[in-house]
Amino acid sequence: KLYGFIDLYTGERRRPEDWRELAEQGLDRVYVGMETGHDELLAVVNKPGKAAELEAFVATLKTAGLSVCLIVMVGLGGRQYREDHARDTLKALRGMPLGPGDLVYLSPFVEQPGSEYQRQRVEKGLDPMDEAQIEAELERLAAKIRARGLKASRYDIREFIY
């Protein structure tokens, strides 16, 4: 089985028939950096595009016969965006043709000191969520996603060595 990663917002756009061809050649699953379903928060983190574009992209992947794994950043936008991030991410997931072979990864957001995100967060006066708040939010989102019949799992970037 072959798996691939793509970021909708910066990745090269492919035609639906390209994805079908890749599926025929053995591609089984595509991991997509969703980040959030909240359009305003996407702009805060300099991700061009809208959640509706992601919904359409996932539909294209599913039509091609691929399974999908979406990666959501839990804690992104801090306390001020907590509810909007959760509400719109769950709404976007409801708008996608996801099924038993698909997965939603919930990744605790880790702010890098000196990053552009940190600069913008401070400039906008956003309060970061602490680790306990992120963990509570991760559990809350996982429960809502699982209640919809989807698989949800933790994906902690700090557990991997690159």
Side-chain angles (χ1 to χ4, degrees):
K1 293 187 179 203
L2 296 174
Y3 303 135
F5 281 82
I6 190 165
D7 176 345
L8 168 75
Y9 311 106
T10 58
E12 183 177 337
R13 304 294 166 101
R14 297 281 181 201
R15 301 172 305 159
E17 51 270 22
D18 294 335
W19 291 110
R20 277 192 295 280
E21 183 179 331
L22 287 168
E24 289 167 5
Q25 293 179 13
L27 182 63
D28 186 61
R29 175 179 291 151
V30 177
Y31 292 77
V32 182
M34 177 180 183
E35 324 311 358
T36 180
H38 186 61
D39 291 341
E40 183 180 326
L41 186 51
L42 285 171
V44 169
V45 295
N46 292 318
K47 297 285 186 178
K50 307 279 185 209
E53 291 174 72
L54 180 63
E55 291 176 38
F57 179 60
V58 168
T60 296
L61 294 174
K62 297 300 296 173
T63 299
L66 296 165
S67 64
V68 176
C69 177
L70 297 152
I71 305 167
V72 174
M73 303 301 294
V74 179
L76 190 64
R79 292 183 197 122
Q80 288 87 338
Y81 280 95
R82 179 180 167 267
E83 287 302 323
D84 293 336
H85 175 36
R87 179 195 65 235
D88 290 348
T89 298
L90 293 167
K91 179 182 175 193
L93 292 171
R94 282 192 302 275
M96 297 175 193
L98 301 173
D102 302 312
L103 177 64
V104 178
Y105 271 136
L106 300 169
S107 183
F109 180 68
V110 179
E111 183 177 299
Q112 296 300 314
S115 67
E116 178 63 18
Y117 173 83
Q118 184 183 53
R119 186 191 67 73
Q120 286 194 33
R121 179 190 56 74
V122 170
E123 182 180 294
K124 294 178 184 308
L126 302 177
D127 299 315
M129 294 168 68
D130 64 31
E131 200 164 324
Q133 291 168 324
I134 290 173
E135 288 302 318
E137 186 66 2
L138 193 147
E139 289 303 317
R140 181 175 84 116
L141 288 172
K144 289 181 182 252
I145 291 165
R146 290 179 185 133
R148 187 177 162 231
L150 297 172
K151 295 175 192 164
S153 184
R154 175 189 197 83
Y155 178 91
D156 194 333
I157 194 73
R158 295 170 295 187
E159 295 174 1
F160 297 90
I161 298 173
Y162 291 98

